[in-house]
Every structure is written in structure tokens, then in C-alpha cells.
Amino acid sequence: QCLYQFLAFVPPSNGSLRKPGTAAVMVDTQHPLTLLLNGSVGDREFCKIQYHFGEFGNYSLVVKTLSTSTKTVSCDLVINEGPINSYLPILFAFLVYMGILAILIVGHLFMKIDPVRNWVYKKLNPRETDRLINSELGSPNTTDSISSDPTRRLWSTTSRQRLRSLDTFRGLSLIIMVFVNYGGGKYWFFKHESWNGKPYFPPAAFSRFVFIMGTSISLSLSSMLKWGSSKRKVLGKILWRSFLLILLGIIVVNPNYCLGPLSWDNLRIPGVLQRLGFTYLVVAALELLFTRAGAESGTLETPCPALQDILPYWPQWIFILILEVIWLCLTFLLPVPGCPRGYLGPGGIGDFGNYPNCTGGAAGYIDRLLLGEKHIYQHPSSSVIYQTTMPYDPEGILGTINTIFMAFLGLQAGKIILFYKDQHKQIMSRFVIWSIVMGIISAILTKCSKEEGFIPINKNLWSISYVTTMSCFAFILVTLIYYLVDVKRLWSGAPFFYPGMNSILVYIGHEVFENYFPFKWKMEDSQSHAEHLTQNLTATTLWVIISYLLYRRRIFWKI
């Protein structure tokens, strides 16, 4: 429902020289386009053609007058040069990474062979190998080496108790976020949706990160309280960590490393870490306030055994439902000047240009009213297609309510893990049930359509349907990773496990050093997917390697 935008004026042909009038233009290839040709006199419509153009293709729209008396015009689309296959760089990159994976697997299998392992150890550390060979005690076993070192014994105990699947899930979400933030090879499906629509797997990584943060809250608070920490002390840690996340977020989203002092007049207040910090504060405080002794162990009696991991926490659910009612009332009932009540559109040229200054409806209005236009994001994704001019922040105030709901669903996943400890079938079946429930709610809210539902899926707004849809997939993904990593132990979680153990450092590091070598360099062809993909994958891989090296040295940045 976009207004037609002027593309080009085609001059009249030169009849004496038999030279047609021509105009050359560049068009977008992400979506199918409708080309409308009008006459310059009387604005008469000659023809309308809908076509999905391909990348770097060369096309001609040939317009001929068939009859001057009836003013009949023919319009034919001719492909002068076919579009390129822009997916070949992705295929090549996939094969390269699969080759590296195959080499690592083969190397791991060879290291299980004693002669090969001994030869490698001798080459890497000949003095230590000789010392072990000449030792009267012979080769120490794992138990002896661990028991002789209290630090290693402590690490071994904690690592066994820690669920690797959760760190793997967090690391996977984080690395995808890094890749997308670096550009995603300039492929449109690695970018955020301009407005409505379910994001593809990579751009939805932030929602999964929020989800697993909620899961971690449940496990970490349970552990701290079990080890004797008072609620007051835990609350102090929650407040301090939230403050640090918000402070770091404001610093990271306002970089002025080479541009001189930052003006307070243009300081952006919302951001990813800010939203994470506030969400963490609300969800962790909610869990701490209403946690009940015996609920996790299943000793509390509940009238409905099927809901025994939900009913003990009914005050939390009441609080979340109140938040959702607030979101619905503000979104659909708040009067916004110059906009229809309950407007959820992008503004600009969307909706036939009727509401150009209504980007985000109530969500955008609240941010502009409370924070000021200069203190929110100035270049929203809606500006590319819908040509919006109003600033809009996808990490704004109103959407934070549904981010809290997303983290709370992750918190519920953590409670399931605690309640059904070591009962793998029960844990996975509960995850699947939650996924189905969230999927059904999404289908009802959206009517299984992109634009025609009651509440469309929208990442910019963090609509309730976006949360239910993303949590549906999050429950499925955490079930799969939990099964592979912690139940069957078919996968160690590598390489995603390592950035998952150092998530704050990797996220802040990738933001701070985004424009520095070797994470970025000047490209020969800025229009090349291959060059962009090479640069973005290299930068992302470097952060995986950095997190692995930090893990090996037991260096973890916790706040």
C-alpha cells in the first residue's frame, strides 16, 4: 500500500532520426516492483507492469505506439543481460566452513589414537612429555591431576553442573547478531524487516538472546539463594548489574572515537544493552520477589499437576498480564496527534501516504514525547522502503514491555529445567508444549498473514505477536540444542559455546571495534556480495577465535 514514487521522465522520441527517447534508472531487487507508465499530457495511464528484478540484471521497458488514432500503446519488458546468481558466495562460504569442520572432526578422531596423541604432545611440549615418561609414577590419570589441583577440581565440578546447551544457545544467538550487525554480506534476508513480517532466522537473534537471558536468570538466582545468599544481597547484585548494562549501552551506542566530543543534544538514550539491562532488572526482581521455597523441588502441592511448574508462580503471571494490558491500552487507545488511534504502520509513503508522520503509532509518539526526537534512533529500517522522515527507535520504551514478556518466557524455560531436574523427557516435552501454545497464539493474533492480522508480527514495535512467534521458535531451538548437547552429548556446543561464555565482552567488543582493522577494511568493489560476505564472516570468525582463546585462559568478563 505504498504511494507511487516518481522514477524517471522519458523524453519523446526523435522522429526524424528515428531515435527513441530513453531514460536509465536503477531499481530495488528485494521486492517485486510495479512500474506505472503515464503520459505527460493528461496523466493518462499507458501500462502497468509488475516484475521482480534480479541483482545486476539489465532490462529494457520498450514502449511503442501501435495506433495513433486509438492511442494504443504496447509495453514489453526485455532482458538485455540476465541477473547474476548472488547466492554463489554463500554456497562457497558454506563449503569452506564445512571443510574446516571436517578437518577438525578428523583431527579430533586422530587425537584419540594414543601414538598420534603422544607424538603431538611431544612436538608441542617435549620437556613436559619427557618428564612424564621418566616419572616413576608414570602417566597421571585425570582423577589424580584434578584432585591434586583444587582450582581445577572446582572448575571441573562447576563445569559439569553448568548446562552447556544454554551457553551454546546464547553463543549461537550472539554470533548471528554479530554477523548481522556487521552487514550480513549485504543480503536483504540478513537484514531486519522494513516493517511488518517475521524476520528471517539471523535478524531474530536478539529475541533469542533475550529469551535465554530469562532462562539464565532462573538458574542463577536459584543457585545464589541455594548457596545461602540473602535476598537483599542478591537484589543489590541485580541493581548493580542492570545499572552497568544500561551505562555500557549508552556508551556503546554513542561512539565518537574520531569525531570529537559528543553533544548531549544528540545523545541516543535507548539501545540493545539498555533494553537488556532494564529487562533484566524487572524479570530478575520479579523472580526474586515471588520465589517460593520448595517450588523448584516440587514439594509444594498444586491442584493441577500438569501446571505444577506454573501455578506456584501465579503472582508473576498476574504482573506480566498487567504489563501486557498496559501495552495493549497504550498501543490501541492512546490518542496520537495527526494519526488514527491504534495505528501500527510505518508512516511515510506506506498506507498510501495518508499518515506520513505516524511511524510506529503510539510507540514512536511516546519515545518522541518522553525522550525527545534527537535522543532516539535517527535512521530506522522503515526509512529505506517507506521513505519515512520521522525518527523511530526499535529499542524504545513501549516495546520494552514485550521484551520483558519474552524474557519471562525464557524464565519459564529455566523453571522447567529446575523443576524437572535430570528428567530429560519431561523437560523436552514441556518445551514442545510451550512452543505449540505460543505458535497457536501467534496464528490467532496474525490470522496467519503478514499484514491482515489483529496484531502483525513486527520487530520494530516488538509486538505481542512477534514475541509469541519468536518464543515459539526459541522453545524449539532450545529443545534441539538441549537434546544434542546435554542429553545425548552428540555435540559439545563448539564453537558457539565459547562466545556464549563471554557474551558481554563479545557484544561490546564487536560494537567498539566494528570499524577497525582486521574487522573492517576498504573493499575493491563495494557492490560485491563476495567481498562483503568475506569481510563480515572474517570479523565474526575472529570474535569466535577470541572467545575461544579467552575460554582457554579462563578469562571471563562478568558484570
Side-chain angles (χ1 to χ4, degrees):
Q1 297 182 335
C2 290
L3 282 176
Y4 282 104
Q5 299 299 297
F6 178 78
L7 189 63
F9 173 76
V10 185
S13 60
N14 191 324
S16 60
L17 299 178
R18 294 186 179 180
K19 186 178 181 181
T22 60
V25 295
M26 190 180 296
V27 295
D28 179 61
T29 60
Q30 177 175 345
H31 302 285
L33 299 180
T34 300
L35 299 180
L36 177 64
L37 185 67
N38 289 334
S40 56
V41 179
D43 200 28
R44 174 172 169 257
E45 180 180 317
F46 287 148
C47 59
K48 181 189 293 186
I49 292 181
Q50 187 175 39
Y51 193 79
H52 196 165
F53 297 94
E55 287 193 19
F56 300 105
N58 187 289
Y59 304 84
S60 290
L61 179 61
V62 181
V63 183
K64 295 180 180 179
T65 303
L66 300 180
S67 173
T68 55
S69 58
T70 60
K71 297 182 179 180
T72 307
V73 174
S74 69
C75 297
D76 299 307
L77 192 67
V78 179
I79 301 176
N80 304 322
E81 185 177 347
I84 65 169
N85 187 345
S86 58
Y87 305 114
L88 286 179
I90 295 181
L91 176 61
F92 181 76
F94 175 78
L95 293 176
V96 168
Y97 277 92
M98 287 299 101
I100 295 173
L101 178 63
I103 292 172
L104 292 175
I105 292 175
V106 172
H108 180 72
L109 294 175
F110 270 106
M111 286 297 289
K112 290 185 177 181
I113 303 173
D114 289 340
V116 176
R117 184 172 64 250
N118 294 336
W119 180 82
V120 171
Y121 286 160
K122 188 172 183 180
K123 289 295 182 181
L124 293 177
N125 198 349
R127 291 185 180 180
E128 179 66 14
T129 305
D130 292 340
R131 188 189 70 78
L132 291 175
I133 292 175
N134 296 328
S135 172
E136 293 181 0
L137 297 177
S139 178
N141 58 36
T142 307
T143 307
D144 295 336
S145 61
I146 291 177
S147 60
S148 63
D149 188 344
T151 305
R152 291 185 64 182
R153 181 172 67 251
L154 177 63
W155 179 259
S156 176
T157 304
T158 55
S159 63
R160 279 200 301 269
Q161 292 176 347
R162 190 180 182 99
L163 286 173
R164 292 181 70 95
S165 57
L166 301 186
D167 292 311
T168 303
F169 186 101
R170 185 188 301 109
L172 173 63
S173 302
L174 176 61
I175 288 305
I176 292 174
M177 281 174 63
V178 171
F179 174 67
V180 170
N181 289 346
Y182 276 152
K186 294 297 179 183
Y187 287 99
W188 63 269
F189 43 81
F190 287 150
K191 297 178 182 178
H192 300 296
E193 280 282 347
S194 296
W195 202 248
N196 289 340
K198 185 187 79 65
Y200 286 78
F201 184 81
F206 178 45
S207 62
R208 292 191 293 272
F209 195 85
V210 172
F211 179 89
I212 207 65
M213 181 183 72
T215 308
S216 301
I217 288 172
S218 178
L219 301 180
S220 62
L221 291 188
S222 172
S223 177
M224 283 190 284
L225 294 175
K226 191 179 293 183
W227 284 98
S229 297
S230 65
K231 285 192 174 183
R232 177 175 294 182
K233 184 179 180 181
V234 174
L235 180 60
K237 290 183 177 180
I238 292 170
L239 291 170
W240 178 244
R241 190 175 195 220
S242 302
F243 168 75
L244 287 179
L245 281 172
I246 294 171
L247 178 63
L248 287 171
I250 293 176
I251 294 172
V252 168
V253 299
N254 294 284
N256 263 57
Y257 313 121
C258 305
L259 302 178
L262 179 70
S263 171
W264 289 102
D265 296 334
N266 300 315
L267 182 79
R268 182 187 173 193
I269 297 175
V272 170
L273 288 179
Q274 296 92 305
R275 177 171 280 191
L276 285 176
F278 187 78
T279 300
Y280 174 81
L281 173 63
V282 174
V283 175
L286 185 66
E287 174 68 2
L288 183 67
L289 182 63
F290 293 107
T291 187
R292 298 175 62 185
E296 294 168 359
S297 59
T299 56
L300 289 179
E301 293 185 3
T302 56
C304 181
L307 302 176
Q308 55 190 351
D309 57 334
I310 299 176
L311 292 181
Y313 308 99
W314 64 266
Q316 297 177 350
W317 283 98
I318 295 296
F319 179 82
I320 293 297
L321 289 174
I322 291 173
L323 284 183
E324 288 306 315
V325 170
I326 292 173
W327 183 86
L328 289 169
C329 290
L330 289 175
T331 300
F332 292 100
L333 300 179
L334 181 69
V336 179
C339 307
R341 190 165 295 185
Y343 182 71
L344 298 176
I349 65 172
D351 300 301
F352 304 111
N354 293 323
Y355 318 111
N357 298 323
C358 296
T359 303
Y365 175 66
I366 290 173
D367 289 341
R368 293 189 292 269
L369 182 68
L370 299 181
L371 303 178
E373 289 190 8
K374 293 186 177 180
H375 295 293
I376 60 178
Y377 193 46
Q378 301 296 309
H379 309 287
S381 58
S382 58
S383 63
V384 178
I385 288 181
Y386 295 101
Q387 301 182 23
T388 56
T389 56
M390 298 294 290
Y392 178 81
D393 207 308
E395 278 79 47
I397 296 172
L398 196 56
T400 304
I401 292 177
N402 286 335
T403 309
I404 292 170
F405 181 38
M406 184 81 186
F408 183 76
L409 292 172
L411 184 80
Q412 181 62 34
K415 290 174 182 175
I416 292 171
I417 293 173
L418 290 171
F419 192 89
Y420 299 100
K421 189 175 183 181
D422 297 328
Q423 300 178 45
H424 302 311
K425 288 185 178 179
Q426 288 283 357
I427 291 173
M428 290 190 293
S429 63
R430 297 294 288 185
F431 285 167
V432 172
I433 290 172
W434 272 101
S435 176
I436 294 172
V437 171
M438 292 295 107
I440 292 173
I441 294 174
S442 296
I444 294 172
L445 291 175
T446 63
K447 297 182 181 178
C448 297
S449 69
K450 182 177 179 179
E451 306 282 354
E452 304 302 326
F454 301 108
I455 304 178
I457 297 173
N458 191 300
K459 183 187 182 297
N460 287 283
L461 296 171
W462 266 76
S463 62
I464 183 65
S465 57
Y466 172 80
V467 171
T468 54
T469 303
M470 292 302 103
S471 60
C472 169
F473 292 116
F475 273 112
I476 292 175
L477 184 60
V478 77
T479 303
L480 178 62
I481 295 178
Y482 177 76
Y483 177 77
L484 293 175
V485 175
D486 286 322
V487 178
K488 292 299 182 179
R489 300 189 178 183
L490 299 173
W491 178 30
S492 66
F496 305 113
F497 172 75
Y498 308 115
M501 292 288 289
N502 241 327
S503 55
I504 297 297
L505 186 145
V506 171
Y507 181 82
I508 293 180
H510 104 274
E511 288 278 3
V512 171
F513 297 103
E514 178 181 3
N515 294 316
Y516 291 86
F517 183 83
F519 304 102
K520 193 173 185 178
W521 60 84
K522 186 177 181 179
M523 290 179 288
E524 294 293 329
D525 182 5
S526 62
Q527 296 296 316
S528 168
H529 279 299
E531 286 198 50
H532 278 285
L533 191 64
T534 300
Q535 186 179 92
N536 301 153
L537 285 175
T538 300
T540 306
T541 303
L542 283 173
W543 283 114
V544 174
I545 295 172
I546 290 170
S547 63
Y548 171 75
L549 295 175
L550 293 173
Y551 175 83
R552 295 287 295 178
R553 293 181 176 273
R554 303 291 185 251
I555 299 173
F556 305 101
W557 186 20
K558 304 292 183 182
I559 59 174

